[in-house]
Amino acid sequence: MGLHQAIESLNERASFLRESLHKSQTIKETMVTIIGSFDHRLSSLEAAMRPTQVRTHAIRRAQENIDKTLKSADVILAQFDLTRKAEAKILRGPHEDLESYLEAICQLRSIVQFFSSFKGFKGPDGVLNHANTLLSKAIVKLDDEFKQLLSTYSKPVEPDRLFDCLPSSLRPSAGLPQQGERVKNPSSANNSDQEDKGLEIAIYKPLTLIPPRILPLLHDLAQQMVQAGKKDQCLNEARSLALESSLRKLGVERLNKDDVQKMPWEVLEAKIGNWIHYMRIAVKLLFAAERKICEQIFDDINVKKDHCFAEVTADSVLMLFSFGEAVAKSKRSPEKLFVLLDMYEIMRELQSEVELIFEGKACSEMRDVSLNLTKRLALTAQETFGDFEEAVEKDATKTTVLDGTVHPLTSYVINYVKFLFEYLTLKQLFQEFETTGTDDNSQLAIVTMRIMQALQSNLDGKSKQYKDPALTYLFLMNNLHYMVRSVRRSEAKDLFGDDWVQRHRRIVQQNAKQYRRVAWAKILQTLTVQGLSSSGSVPGGSDVGNSSGVSRANVKERFKYFNMQFEELHQRQSQWTVPDPELRESLRLAVAEVLLPAYRSFIKRFGPLIENGKNPQKYIRYTPEDLERMLGEFFEGKTWTEQKR
């Protein structure tokens, strides 16, 4: 029973499941049919809408094209508008508002570039031609403005402005140096007082040639002109003329060799001193300031600044250096050597600055002119120094120093050489022509030694003018002693060396010895016993221990002769001069050392013969102390009138 019910229940459930599956299948088939119907309808709808979509896309593309065209038209119209505005500024000119004028030029260049590259625009030639015409007119006006600005601010600099920029130690006391007033060269060693002011000398105030506010305008103008291909127009002659005029106002002249040759020495010396001053002003102030102007105007501009600077300064440099060349080429003379050295020193002093200011290939000619002048001055100075030897040797002046003192030629030559050696650049001058491997001082030493030898030879000749041999030796002693003493106290000592000094000191001593021998040998002979005996000889030959056999008359004559000779020597040689106190005293002492002992001995031995007779003071006029006092009056250069007083 229970089993049967269970089976029936399962059958019922199976039937229910079959019915449910059948219904699901039916529903599925129905849904497939419906969905298929929808797909067919959608395909039909898409086919119906396709033409509408195509039209919509075309409309959208057309709208985009219209927008692009309108935008292009706006840009083109804007360019036309900018052209009109730029044209208005160009027509007004640059003078009123240079900044706006330069902006208009830049705008025109952009417009030309725009229409040149706008290929989609039909018929741009007319617009381009108009813009290019405006641009050309603008550049012409720009050129005029550039020249006008340069001319306005390119006035010659007054000398007082230049002097104000100098260190106080170099400023003239009152305005320009007058004719005959030489401005010293502080670089020379003979102006050593300037060395204590070394820091002051180095301070030069910058010279302003064009106001700082104008330089940016000139820079902008030059930049636009260079962009327009007008590089040559930038080389304006206004600056060149202003620079040359500044130098002329200062006193610089363009002179040649003949002009220099005709000048009196005093005038030439003053002009050389002034030229040294002008060189320092021109290089350190004018040329340096002009270089700065070129650098500022053409900064970051595609133009050859060195070429521009060379164009501006060429005439001024040649005018300035022409005087130095003329002096260097003029006839040589001893007095010119010192000014030649001054000129050489200033050229050496400024050489590094010349190299810096005139750098670049375009300025090579200026550098060469400066270097060649320096070498020319060195060579001329060296040749002049060499000529001095010949001048000394051939000096034929008839001047005779009656008192045997230092001859003017000696003092001139020695002072000449001493003064030369105070120039720090003298050795450098000779080094310019030294061969490699030789001693730096060799050439200078050789020339100087020859000059001293020439002086000695000339003095030997002049010494022969004296009739008194004693004065001949005194003259040579004085002059050689002056030479030796001067060399020992000068910068030339190291060059001459101790051997030269010692050798010539011996020559001085030899001349002093010869003087004593020649001047005093005769009077010393009167103080010997020879010839005093009545028979003409002293008994016993060399017997000097007694006065037996001596003729009183002979002794009297001997004393009279001694008095006469000594008085004559005193009168004459008191007028002679030994200017050096030490040498004078040593010479007196040397004479006293031989004269006084002999006189004392003679008086001691033979004086009693006279003292026992009548009027002994007539024969024995002087005591040894009197002679010593009178010897102290020798070589004082006293006149006969002074001696009598």
Side-chain angles (χ1 to χ4, degrees):
M1 179 71 181
L3 179 61
H4 179 73
Q5 287 177 344
I7 292 172
E8 284 182 356
S9 179
L10 287 173
N11 286 332
E12 287 176 0
R13 291 178 180 178
S15 296
F16 179 76
L17 286 172
R18 281 195 296 271
E19 288 177 1
S20 295
L21 286 172
H22 179 72
K23 287 180 180 179
S24 296
Q25 184 66 34
T26 302
I27 291 169
K28 176 183 177 182
E29 290 175 355
T30 301
M31 288 300 294
V32 169
T33 301
I34 292 170
I35 290 172
S37 173
F38 282 161
D39 184 57
H40 177 71
R41 291 175 184 176
L42 184 59
S43 297
S44 299
L45 182 60
E46 286 179 350
M49 290 182 65
R50 190 172 290 113
T52 302
Q53 290 175 338
V54 171
R55 286 195 298 272
T56 301
H57 181 67
I59 291 171
R60 188 182 297 112
R61 290 186 60 185
Q63 182 63 44
E64 291 174 354
N65 290 334
I66 290 170
D67 290 341
K68 289 181 180 179
T69 302
L70 290 174
K71 287 181 181 179
S72 297
D74 287 340
V75 172
I76 293 170
L77 290 173
Q79 294 298 316
F80 278 108
D81 186 51
L82 290 173
T83 303
R84 285 194 299 273
K85 291 179 180 179
E87 182 176 9
K89 293 179 181 179
I90 296 302
L91 293 177
R92 281 198 300 269
H95 195 64
E96 293 182 4
D97 188 351
L98 180 59
E99 186 176 354
S100 295
Y101 190 85
L102 295 175
E103 289 177 358
I105 290 177
C106 291
Q107 192 63 60
L108 279 176
R109 287 203 177 96
S110 298
I111 291 169
V112 169
Q113 184 179 7
F114 173 81
F115 285 115
S116 298
S117 61
F118 195 80
K119 298 180 180 179
F121 181 68
K122 296 182 179 180
D125 293 345
V127 181
L128 278 174
N129 290 338
H130 182 63
N132 281 321
T133 300
L134 277 177
L135 199 54
S136 297
K137 289 180 180 179
I139 296 302
V140 170
K141 290 184 178 182
L142 209 61
D143 182 31
D144 293 339
E145 182 69 11
F146 185 80
K147 291 178 179 178
Q148 181 62 38
L149 267 179
L150 270 184
S151 298
T152 301
Y153 294 99
S154 294
K155 305 300 181 185
V157 183
E158 294 298 324
D160 286 343
R161 273 192 63 204
L162 295 172
F163 296 149
D164 286 342
C165 295
L166 294 173
S168 58
S169 58
L170 294 178
R171 295 175 193 171
S173 56
L176 284 170
Q178 300 299 313
Q179 181 168 306
E181 176 191 350
R182 183 181 173 192
V183 181
K184 293 182 179 181
N185 178 13
S187 65
S188 301
N190 53 304
N191 292 309
S192 57
D193 58 314
Q194 298 289 347
E195 293 176 2
D196 296 333
K197 304 178 182 179
L199 293 176
E200 182 183 352
I201 290 176
I203 300 174
Y204 288 78
K205 295 179 183 177
L207 177 65
T208 301
L209 297 178
I210 294 179
R213 62 184 177 82
I214 301 299
L215 288 171
L217 299 179
L218 290 170
H219 172 271
D220 293 342
L221 288 169
Q223 190 173 43
Q224 293 296 335
M225 291 169 64
V226 170
Q227 287 182 12
K230 303 289 184 180
K231 291 184 181 181
D232 293 340
Q233 268 67 18
C234 292
L235 306 177
N236 192 284
E237 64 180 8
R239 293 304 311 155
S240 177
L241 294 175
L243 185 58
E244 193 169 345
S245 297
S246 298
L247 290 175
R248 290 191 185 280
K249 277 179 170 285
L250 189 62
V252 177
E253 303 172 87
R254 191 185 293 271
L255 299 172
N256 57 35
K257 182 177 69 174
D258 294 335
D259 297 328
V260 168
Q261 202 64 50
K262 294 173 185 176
M263 289 182 191
W265 167 241
E266 294 77 10
V267 175
L268 178 60
E269 185 181 26
K271 285 186 178 293
I272 290 173
N274 291 337
W275 179 83
I276 290 169
H277 199 46
Y278 302 153
M279 280 294 300
R280 189 176 284 107
I281 291 173
V283 173
K284 290 181 176 289
L285 297 177
L286 283 170
F287 294 150
E290 199 65 48
R291 181 74 191 204
K292 189 174 181 180
I293 286 175
C294 281
E295 295 288 345
Q296 289 177 313
I297 290 178
F298 300 111
D299 183 39
D300 293 331
I301 298 178
N302 184 24
V303 68
K304 295 179 180 177
K305 290 180 282 190
D306 294 341
H307 181 65
C308 176
F309 179 66
E311 289 282 334
V312 170
T313 56
D315 289 342
S316 295
V317 170
L318 294 178
M319 180 177 73
L320 183 65
F321 285 13
S322 68
F323 179 76
E325 287 285 347
V327 174
K329 293 178 181 178
S330 63
K331 185 178 179 180
R332 299 192 298 270
S333 60
E335 66 270 14
K336 283 185 182 178
L337 181 55
F338 300 105
V339 293
L340 286 169
L341 287 175
D342 286 338
M343 296 170 74
Y344 174 73
E345 283 186 358
I346 192 63
M347 292 303 299
R348 281 186 61 91
E349 176 191 329
L350 298 175
Q351 193 63 44
S352 60
E353 288 174 86
V354 169
E355 294 286 337
L356 182 63
I357 294 171
F358 293 95
E359 64 178 351
K361 184 177 180 181
C363 297
S364 61
E365 182 180 355
M366 285 74 161
R367 296 195 304 275
D368 291 343
V369 168
S370 175
L371 186 59
N372 290 337
L373 176 56
T374 305
K375 291 183 176 180
R376 165 73 71 173
L377 288 168
L379 180 60
T380 304
Q382 189 189 41
E383 291 172 346
T384 302
F385 196 29
D387 292 345
F388 188 59
E389 174 197 349
E390 184 178 355
V392 171
E393 188 172 15
K394 294 183 177 180
D395 177 76
T397 54
K398 300 299 182 182
T399 303
T400 302
V401 285
L402 300 178
D403 59 355
T405 189
V406 176
H407 196 279
L409 176 65
T410 304
S411 57
Y412 172 72
V413 172
I414 295 301
N415 289 335
Y416 190 94
V417 172
K418 280 174 59 181
F419 194 52
L420 279 176
F421 274 83
E422 291 178 2
Y423 279 80
L424 299 177
T425 54
L426 183 65
K427 293 180 181 179
Q428 295 170 338
L429 183 147
F430 276 87
Q431 287 172 14
E432 294 251 5
F433 304 95
E434 293 286 352
T435 56
T436 305
T438 60
D439 181 8
D440 289 342
N441 296 331
S442 60
Q443 186 64 26
L444 177 60
I446 290 170
V447 175
T448 310
M449 294 283 195
R450 287 205 304 253
I451 289 173
M452 301 299 276
Q453 185 57 50
L455 175 60
Q456 285 182 249
S457 299
N458 194 296
L459 291 172
D460 286 339
K462 285 179 167 49
S463 71
K464 293 178 172 59
Q465 297 174 358
Y466 297 107
K467 294 180 180 179
D468 190 333
L471 189 54
T472 295
Y473 291 115
L474 190 79
F475 170 79
L476 291 174
M477 178 198 70
N478 277 330
N479 283 268
L480 285 172
H481 180 267
Y482 181 81
M483 292 168 60
V484 172
R485 185 190 62 179
S486 299
V487 167
R488 288 178 62 195
R489 296 178 179 179
S490 74
E491 297 290 333
K493 179 182 178 182
D494 294 337
L495 190 71
F496 281 79
D498 289 335
D499 288 345
W500 186 93
V501 172
Q502 295 303 323
R503 185 168 66 253
H504 285 77
R505 288 183 68 180
R506 286 195 294 271
I507 297 175
V508 172
Q509 293 168 0
Q510 290 169 8
N511 280 296
K513 186 177 180 181
Q514 288 292 88
Y515 154 77
R516 293 195 303 272
R517 181 185 63 80
V518 173
W520 296 93
K522 191 174 180 180
I523 194 172
L524 287 172
Q525 186 66 32
T526 65
L527 299 177
T528 63
V529 298
Q530 186 177 0
L532 288 179
S533 65
S534 57
S535 61
S537 61
V538 179
S542 60
D543 179 16
V544 293
N546 59 74
S547 57
S548 60
V550 172
S551 167
R552 184 192 301 269
N554 287 346
V555 171
K556 288 182 178 180
E557 286 299 318
R558 190 66 64 86
F559 270 108
K560 286 173 62 178
Y561 189 68
F562 174 84
N563 294 336
M564 181 186 67
Q565 280 193 311
F566 185 78
E567 288 167 1
E568 182 183 343
L569 285 171
H570 177 265
Q571 178 184 338
R572 186 167 65 251
Q573 295 195 29
S574 293
Q575 298 177 58
W576 294 358
T577 302
V578 177
D580 183 76
E582 291 183 8
L583 181 62
R584 182 170 61 244
E585 191 57 36
S586 68
L587 196 60
R588 289 170 178 168
L589 183 61
V591 172
E593 284 176 348
V594 294
L595 178 65
L596 296 182
Y599 187 69
R600 286 192 181 96
S601 177
F602 191 82
I603 286 182
K604 182 178 180 181
R605 183 170 181 182
F606 300 110
L609 290 177
I610 305 301
E611 291 169 352
N612 293 332
K614 295 181 180 181
N615 300 322
Q617 68 277 3
K618 177 180 178 181
Y619 303 101
I620 305 177
R621 294 182 185 176
Y622 305 106
T623 65
E625 290 72 25
D626 291 333
L627 293 185
E628 186 174 10
R629 176 184 56 78
M630 294 176 72
L631 283 176
E633 298 174 352
F634 276 51
F635 319 125
E636 291 285 353
K638 294 181 179 179
T639 63
W640 173 240
T641 303
E642 290 174 321
Q643 291 181 54
K644 289 173 70 178
R645 286 204 299 267

